[in-house]
Amino acid sequence: MAVTLAQAAALIPDPVARGVVELFIKESNVLDRLPLEPVTGNAWSYNQEEALPGTAFRTVNEAYVESTGVINQVVEKLKILGGDADVDRFVQTTMGGTLGDHLAQQTNLKVRSTQATFSEALFTGDTLLEPKGFDGLRKRLVRDQVIDATGDLTPGTVEEAHAQLDQLDALCAAVSGGPDVIYGNKSVVAKLKGLFRRSGGFEQVRNDITGKTELTWNGVPVVDPGNTFDGRPVLPVDPTNGTDLYALRFASGPGEVGVMGITNGNVQTTQLGELQDKPAHRVRIEFYAGLVVQGGQAAARLRGVKLN
């Protein structure tokens, strides 16, 4: 059964490793809620329905026309994400504090960078550009799961405001069973907050699992996935082409329509001690992870949302 990092953290006995996982939860609006299915080995396979078999009415003694559904087996491989951080003895000696303090600071920075890289890959990952990573939702979602936006989020009339909210409802309707979260750039989230407030659908709630206060639309959190490790928005806003909104439903295990991650070992923290080739102590963060999108309506994308 897939569990979130918040659920997994409660079962980690090592306080250092548990603290790293809790930092992922604090820093990420993606990994704080994305279910992760534990896998054995370095890949996970599952069946994906491609087409239903045909059925029909028949008369007495009439034979059915045989029809078989199409099921494709999909294999998702784990990818290795992480990095090393060193604390030089000179830094420890001249900048004050203990070695543990400096290693903790570097671990914090490495965690923030790792979660940002994962979040970026989840939405815009492309193995043609980064073969070491995985394909994200922008590449996986096709046909009816991609909706072209019209108008902009700065409407001049009440009717135009309602039209924008109708598009948001259409995005949610494209997800089987309705989404568990909607992701958008923080500028879009701010614009939507104004629309919700004027329409009477505005609500902010405190997430029981993460403790974060979130904007919701019809009970669905609308959140910003944050920035990449170098400060760019994970979901950027283009002045000409606008930006995207993604609606995701989460799966809690195999065979359930939704999006989830896969992992072997969750987030791993290793203190490597002092290096032989230079006077520095090293800490390593690694996350063996992948992405699974089960079912054709596990997520949807509203493409080309313009702010004004």
Side-chain angles (χ1 to χ4, degrees), residues 41-64:
N42 60 7
W44 190 66
S45 63
Y46 62 100
N47 293 328
Q48 184 84 288
E49 294 181 2
E50 181 68 23
L52 293 174
T55 53
F57 296 101
R58 72 177 183 91
T59 60
V60 177
N61 293 326
E62 180 185 10
Y64 287 115

Side-chain angles (χ1 to χ4, degrees), residues 208-235:
D208 292 335
I209 297 177
T210 66
K212 301 172 183 177
T213 300
E214 298 171 340
L215 172 70
T216 65
W217 173 249
N218 294 328
V220 181
V222 183
V223 296
D224 173 24
N227 295 334
T228 64
F229 75 91
D230 56 357
R232 294 174 292 107
V234 168
L235 296 177

